[in-house]
Amino acid sequence: MMSSKHSKRFTPHLKFQVVVETLKGEKTVGQLARSYNVHPISIHRWKKEFVEKGPEIFRLATTIHECERRIEELERLIGHKEVEIALLKNFLTGVSVERKKSL
């Protein structure tokens, strides 16, 4: 028989909260582990991951800003295209009416 390992799933918010408390240094990792019912090794792993990936957080903010700027630009272009389409439809409708009158 194979034994199955049941691991708890912790939300990113909880992991972040535990890491921040760890960095504050007001409680030991052992105290935090007991209060959050988390294994101390998990807390050390979360802290290591946080420190290693920290620069990505700031890069992500820049990327989000660039994406928002690009979305605004594309929305503006769509607005211009919608106006052009409406003008062309009006023009074609006018031409169609004129052709019917001339026949």
Side-chain angles (χ1 to χ4, degrees), residues 12-13 27 42 49-53 59-61 76 79 81 88:
H13 180 75
K27 294 181 180 179
S42 295
E49 184 178 350
F50 179 81
V51 170
E52 288 174 353
K53 293 184 178 180
R59 190 175 321 121
L60 180 62
R76 232 182 352 270
K81 294 301 175 190
L88 287 171

Side-chain angles (χ1 to χ4, degrees), residues 55-69:
E56 290 177 30
I57 294 168
F58 298 106
R59 190 175 321 121
L60 180 62
T62 302
T63 302
I64 289 171
H65 178 70
E66 290 170 357
C67 289
E68 288 172 343
R69 192 171 37 88

Side-chain angles (χ1 to χ4, degrees), residues 7 9-12 21 28 54 64 66-69 80-81:
S7 63
R9 298 280 180 187
F10 297 100
T11 65
E21 286 190 44
T28 67
I64 289 171
E66 290 170 357
C67 289
E68 288 172 343
R69 192 171 37 88
H80 287 127
K81 294 301 175 190

Side-chain angles (χ1 to χ4, degrees), residues 3 18 27 31-32 40 45 47 57 65 68 78 82 85:
S3 66
V18 172
K27 294 181 180 179
Q31 290 170 326
L32 290 170
R45 189 175 63 245
K47 182 180 174 186
I57 294 168
H65 178 70
E68 288 172 343
I78 288 171
E82 287 176 346
I85 289 169

